[in-house]
Amino acid sequence: MCTEYAQSAVLEDNEIRGNVAAVRGNGYGGGVWANALLYRNRILSNTASVHGDGYGGGTYAYHVGDFNDNLVQGNVASENGDGTGGGLYAIYLQRAQHNTIAHNVATRGGGIYMAEYLGSQALYYNHIAHNQATGSGAFDGGGGIASAADWVEIARNEVYSNTTAGLGVGGGLLITAGDRYLVRDNRFEDNEGGGGGGIAVYTATGTIVQNQIVDNDALLLGGGVYLWGQASPALDRNLVISNTAYGLLYAAGGGLLINVDGGTTVTVTNHVIARNGAGADGSGGGVYCWRGECVLINNTIVDNDQGDNQEGVILGSADGGTHHMRNNVVVGHGVGVALSSGVAILDYNDYYDNVFHVSGGATWGPHHRNDKPEFEDRWAGNYHLALTSPLIDQGDSTVNVPLDFEGDPRPRGGGMDIGADEAYRVESHVSASAGSDLTGDGSPGSPFATVTKGIAETRTGGMVHVGRGSYPERITITRSIHLFGGYHEGDWSRDVTAYVATLDAEDTGTVVLIQGEGVDATVDGFTITGGEASVYGSGGGLVVHDDAVATVRHNAITGNHARNGGGGVVLWGSDLLESVLDSNRIYNNSADGEFVPCCAAQTTMSPQQGPEPGGGVLLGEGPARVVNNWIYSNTAAGGGDGMAVLGWGGPARVLHNTVVDNGGSSGVGIELMGAASAAILHDNLIVGHGTGISATGGEAAWDYNGFYDNVTAYAPGLPGGAHDTHGDPRFADRSGADYHIDHSSPMAGAGVDKGVEIDLDGDPRPLPAGTRPDLGADECEQRRVYLPLVLREGG
C-alpha cells in the first residue's frame, strides 16, 4: 500500500498482510510505503524485497507524523539480499508510540531502522521484541533498533529478546551516528549480540541515561554496553545488572566494555553495575576500559563475579591513558580495581569484600575507605545506603554530580555520599503538633514539623506520612514522592475523615504544584485549601504541570481561586502518561477566566494562552482519568463551571463522577473545548445546571450518563446518549452536599461497566457482583427480589 505525498492522509484499523514490494530489484515498504498518519494497523508477514535490497519489511515511513498503536510483526526487509529495517525503516518519523514491533528480520535494524536525518524524532512506549539483525559487518546489528539519526529520543520502551547474528553488535540497540540522541528510561533485557548485548554505540555522543540494562549477553565484548570508535556519550544513572560477555583477546566487560580511540574520554556517573560476568575468554566482570580514557564517578560496582573472571574494574590495556575514579563503591570481587596500563588516579573510593582491592600498580589514594557500605539489602539487589552507612557525607563534594542514580539531589547533609546512592529516608513522618524540623529525624517517634521538610528528606519513590493538623504551606513536588495525609501522630494509624490533614496556602499561591518530566507523584488524603493560582494564573488548589504525572485521590479540594482557569485542579502534565483524579470532593472553588499575558516564553501547550475555563477541574494537556469524584458548587467565568476538558495531547476518560450545582442556574456541568476529540464520558451523574454537557470544540463519546434538574441535559445541537437516564437521583441530602444514593434511585444499576471496580467510599462496584453499576460516584447495593417458589403436584 502506498500513501505517497499524503501527510494529511490517515491509515487506521487495517490488516496489511503477506505483501511483497519487489522481487528482484530494491523494495521499499513491504506492507506500507507511507507519508501519512498510521494508527492501530496490523502489518504482518510482508517482504520489502525477495532478491534485491529491501528497506522496511513492514513499513517504509517517509516524513510520517504519527505511527501509533500498530502491530508490526513477522516482516522481512530482504529474503536473499541486503535488508534494512525489518519492521520499520524511517526517514523522519516524528513520533512512534505504543507500537508492538516483533519477530521481524533485517541485515541491520531487525525491528526498527532510523535513517540519517537532522530533525527531531521520537520512539516512546513501544514493545520491541524478538527481532533479528542477521548481518555481521562492522556496522550491522541493532537487533531491536538501529539508528543513524542525529536527533532521536528513545524513551520508555521495552526492548527485549532481540538478537544479532555472529559478530553483529547491539542486540537491543545500535547507534552509529548522532550528537543529539537521547536514550532514557528504557528497559533492555535478554538481548544478544556479538558486542553490546544491550546497547552498542559507534562514534557518536548524545546521552544514555536512567535505563535498565539487564540480563543481556555478548558473544564477545560488552554484555550490557559496548562503546567503540570515538563514541563518548554521557552515561548517567543506568542500572547495568546481570549481563554477561564471553570475551575476545583477554577482554570481556560483562557490564561495560569501553574500546574507544586513544584520547577519547568516556565518563560514567551514578551507575549501579552489579552481578555482571566475564567469560573464560576475557576479563572485567564489571567494567573494562580497554582503550581510551575512563572517568568513573559515584558508581556502585558490586559482585561482578558471576563469570570466570571476577574483576570489578580494569583500567587500560591497549593504549594506556589516564583514568580517574572518585566516590565509587567497589564491593565483592576477586580484584576490585586493576590497572593494566597507563595511569590511574584513584581517591575517595570505598573498597570492601574484594580478595584484592587494587592491583597492577594502582594506589588507592589518601582518602580511600575499606568500610562495609551497609547497603539496605545487598543480596536482594537493593544498593541504597542505609541511614547508618559510614559512607554518608564521606565523598569528594567537588565533583560535578548534582543528582544520584534516582535523581535525588546531592549532596544531602554535610557532604556527598560515596557510591551511586545519596542516602535519603525511604519514608518520613510529619506532625504539625509533635514534630520539629530542627530536631526531628522523620521517624515515627521524631517526626518533622512541615510537609516541605518531609518531602526534602525522602528519596525518590518514597512516602511521606502526614499527621492531622493544619499546614500553612505551599507544596512543590519535583520528584516521584508519594504524599499521604490523615494520620494520628500517636500511633500513626490512618483515618482521613477523623484525622484531617489540611494544606493551606493562605492565598499566597497554588497549594500543591507537581512538575517536571519523569515525576510520578501521589497526593492522597488531604484537605487542600486557601490556594491562589500561581501557575500562569491557573490552578488554585493543585496543578500537575510540565510533563509530570500524578495520582490525586481521597482529597477535599475546596476554597481555592484562580484568576484564570482551573480554580480547584489543573492537569496539564505528560502527554504520554495518564494522570488520575480519583475519589475526591472538589467544591467551592472559583475561576475568573481572566487572561493576563505573563511572558514571551509561553508555548502552545502552556496554560495562560487566553481566558481558561474550569471552576472545579481543568483538564488541559495529557491523558487523564477522572473517576468517582464529587464535583459541586464551583464557578467559572470562562466556561465549564464543574469541569472543562481541553484535551490537548491525550484522551480524557471521565467516568462515574457526580457533578452537582456548579455555576448556578446558568452553569455548565462539563464542557468540552479545544481539542477534546478523544474524551470519553460515561456513567456520570449531572444535576442542577443550566447545561449538563456542553461542547464548544472537539468531539467526544458519551453515553450512559444520568441527568436531573438541568435546564437542558445537552447544549443545543448535541445528541444525547442512547442509554442516558433522566430522573431524580434521590440524593441522601442534596442541600447538605451528601450525594449518596440508595436502591430506590433511578440511577442505581443504570450504568455500563467501564472497569471501575470501587466507588468513592471504597465500596465494590457493582453491588452485587454481576449487576450493572450505578451512575455517579456512589455505588449502593441493589436489592434483589426473590419470588416465592410454588410447587405443584404433577398429575
Side-chain angles (χ1 to χ4, degrees):
M1 177 177 290
C2 179
T3 57
E4 186 174 2
Y5 305 123
Q7 179 62 72
S8 61
V10 177
L11 191 65
E12 58 183 338
D13 297 314
N14 300 284
E15 182 166 307
I16 303 166
R17 178 191 291 267
N19 301 284
V20 177
V23 175
R24 299 200 174 276
N26 295 344
Y28 301 86
V32 183
W33 193 108
N35 174 226
L37 308 175
L38 287 84
Y39 305 106
R40 299 180 304 279
N41 299 287
R42 292 167 53 85
I43 304 169
L44 310 173
S45 303
N46 303 283
T47 301
S49 181
V50 177
H51 297 290
D53 295 343
Y55 301 87
T59 301
Y60 184 97
Y62 180 78
H63 288 244
V64 167
D66 287 341
F67 189 88
N68 300 341
D69 300 297
N70 301 285
L71 172 62
V72 183
Q73 180 173 301
N75 303 282
V76 178
S78 179
E79 292 184 0
N80 300 296
D82 188 83
T84 306
L88 175 65
Y89 181 98
I91 300 178
Y92 186 45
L93 177 57
Q94 184 175 359
R95 182 173 50 253
Q97 60 189 34
H98 298 295
N99 302 287
T100 296
I101 299 173
H103 297 283
N104 303 285
V105 179
T107 307
R108 64 198 63 82
I112 300 173
Y113 186 86
M114 306 294 290
E116 292 184 37
Y117 193 81
L118 295 178
S120 174
Q121 304 176 79
L123 302 176
Y124 296 144
Y125 294 99
N126 300 288
H127 297 270
I128 303 166
H130 300 287
N131 302 284
Q132 184 178 15
T134 60
S136 58
F139 303 109
D140 293 335
I145 307 168
S147 177
D150 178 66
W151 187 5
V152 59
E153 183 175 2
I154 300 171
R156 295 179 177 171
N157 302 282
E158 295 182 0
V159 184
Y160 56 93
S161 300
N162 302 282
T163 61
T164 67
L167 301 179
V169 294
L173 169 65
L174 169 63
I175 295 175
T176 58
D179 295 331
R180 293 181 289 176
Y181 68 81
L182 173 61
V183 180
R184 66 172 177 88
D185 296 303
N186 303 282
R187 186 173 179 89
F188 296 91
E189 183 174 4
D190 191 36
N191 302 284
E192 297 181 7
I199 300 174
V201 181
Y202 172 75
T203 307
T205 53
T207 300
I208 300 174
V209 60
Q210 211 164 332
N211 300 282
Q212 298 176 38
I213 305 167
V214 179
D215 285 322
N216 303 283
D217 289 342
L219 177 64
L220 301 175
L221 305 171
V225 179
Y226 175 51
L227 309 180
W228 86 107
Q230 295 180 1
S232 57
L235 297 170
D236 186 34
R237 290 184 282 156
N238 299 293
L239 303 182
V240 184
I241 298 174
S242 297
N243 303 282
T244 302
Y246 295 97
L248 172 69
L249 298 176
Y250 309 108
L256 286 82
L257 192 289
I258 298 168
N259 183 27
V260 296
D261 295 348
T264 301
T265 300
V266 174
T267 300
V268 181
T269 56
N270 282 325
H271 282 55
V272 174
I273 302 168
R275 299 184 178 179
N276 302 285
D281 294 327
S283 301
V287 180
Y288 199 132
C289 188
W290 197 8
R291 297 173 63 223
E293 298 185 342
C294 294
V295 178
L296 278 66
I297 302 175
N298 279 105
N299 301 286
T300 296
I301 304 168
V302 182
D303 294 331
N304 296 285
D305 57 355
Q306 307 302 300
D308 296 293
N309 293 288
Q310 302 177 356
E311 302 88 356
V313 179
I314 299 179
L315 300 173
S317 179
D319 294 334
T322 299
H323 311 282
H324 298 263
M325 288 186 63
R326 232 165 178 77
N327 293 355
N328 301 282
V329 178
V330 185
V331 172
H333 306 95
V335 177
V337 178
L339 177 63
S340 293
S341 65
V343 176
I345 301 174
L346 316 177
D347 206 2
Y348 290 94
N349 302 294
D350 180 59
Y351 308 89
Y352 178 77
D353 194 25
N354 306 289
V355 177
F356 300 99
H357 295 316
V358 295
S359 70
T363 57
W364 49 22
H367 303 95
H368 81 279
R369 305 181 72 89
N370 298 124
D371 295 319
K372 182 179 180 180
E374 294 189 24
F375 296 128
E376 289 189 357
D377 193 339
R378 172 182 171 184
W379 307 116
N382 182 350
Y383 304 113
H384 292 96
L385 297 178
L387 294 178
T388 56
S389 171
L391 306 187
I392 292 174
D393 296 344
Q394 300 304 310
D396 179 2
S397 296
T398 66
V399 300
N400 183 25
V401 184
L403 303 174
D404 78 351
F405 82 109
E406 292 177 311
D408 294 324
R410 293 185 189 269
R412 171 184 179 261
M416 187 173 292
D417 299 350
I418 297 175
D421 180 43
E422 190 77 6
Y424 282 76
R425 299 191 62 86
V426 66
E427 60 180 9
S428 295
H429 297 75
V430 175
S431 171
S433 61
S436 170
D437 286 355
L438 294 176
T439 61
D441 62 12
S443 65
S446 182
F448 300 123
T450 64
V451 178
T452 299
K453 179 68 170 178
I455 292 171
E457 296 297 322
T458 303
R459 73 177 177 224
T460 296
M463 298 174 61
V464 179
H465 308 280
V466 181
R468 61 184 176 174
S470 183
Y471 299 85
E473 302 179 55
R474 293 171 56 187
I475 307 301
T476 299
I477 301 175
T478 58
R479 296 178 291 129
S480 296
I481 298 291
H482 306 293
L483 199 62
F484 293 88
Y487 292 89
H488 190 285
E489 70 281 358
D491 59 4
W492 294 98
S493 59
R494 190 175 191 228
D495 185 329
V496 298
T497 302
Y499 309 135
V500 178
T502 299
L503 305 177
D504 188 349
E506 299 183 326
D507 300 322
T508 61
T510 297
V511 185
V512 180
L513 173 60
I514 302 168
Q515 64 180 2
E517 185 175 12
V519 173
D520 187 352
T522 302
V523 178
D524 186 315
F526 294 89
T527 294
I528 298 172
T529 192
E532 180 63 44
S534 54
V535 182
Y536 302 99
S538 293
L542 181 144
V543 175
V544 181
H545 184 52
D546 190 24
D547 290 323
V549 175
T551 298
V552 181
R553 183 177 285 135
H554 302 141
N555 303 285
I557 303 172
T558 180
N560 303 287
H561 173 259
R563 185 175 180 181
N564 201 356
V569 177
V570 171
L571 302 184
W572 208 295
S574 169
D575 61 356
L576 296 172
L577 291 177
E578 184 178 72
S579 286
V580 177
L581 193 63
D582 182 5
S583 301
N584 302 282
R585 290 165 168 81
I586 303 171
Y587 62 99
N588 290 342
N589 304 285
S590 62
D592 299 341
E594 181 180 346
F595 172 59
V596 179
C598 74
C599 52
Q602 292 172 201
T603 70
T604 57
M605 294 300 170
S606 294
Q608 189 75 356
Q609 295 301 302
E612 300 288 0
V617 178
L618 170 59
L619 305 182
E621 181 180 6
R625 187 172 187 262
V626 181
V627 58
N628 284 335
N629 301 283
W630 284 357
I631 303 172
Y632 59 97
S633 301
N634 303 285
T635 60
D641 296 274
M643 181 190 311
V645 183
L646 300 183
W648 299 108
R653 296 187 291 160
V654 181
L655 309 171
H656 282 290
N657 299 282
T658 298
V659 184
V660 182
D661 294 334
N662 297 281
S665 60
S666 61
V668 177
I670 300 175
E671 186 155 1
L672 307 175
M673 310 172 77
S677 59
I680 299 170
L681 282 68
H682 284 95
D683 297 322
N684 301 287
L685 177 51
I686 304 171
V687 174
H689 304 92
T691 303
I693 295 177
S694 179
T696 58
E699 300 175 357
W702 52 69
D703 201 1
Y704 289 95
N705 296 294
F707 297 91
Y708 176 68
D709 195 24
N710 305 289
V711 176
T712 179
Y714 293 90
L718 296 183
H723 304 92
D724 289 343
T725 299
H726 298 265
D728 185 349
R730 300 175 188 170
F731 291 133
D733 184 359
R734 178 176 170 183
S735 63
D738 184 348
Y739 304 116
H740 291 92
I741 62 173
D742 65 21
H743 67 275
S744 68
S745 171
M747 307 304 165
V752 62
D753 185 1
K754 287 295 180 180
V756 180
E757 297 180 349
I758 60 172
D759 75 351
L760 172 82
D761 301 313
D763 296 327
R765 187 192 294 276
L767 276 176
T771 61
R772 289 171 55 185
D774 301 347
L775 301 182
D778 178 45
E779 186 78 10
C780 70
E781 185 165 7
Q782 301 168 37
R783 288 184 178 177
R784 285 177 167 169
V785 178
Y786 296 90
L787 298 177
L789 179 64
V790 179
L791 299 178
R792 293 186 179 182
E793 293 184 3

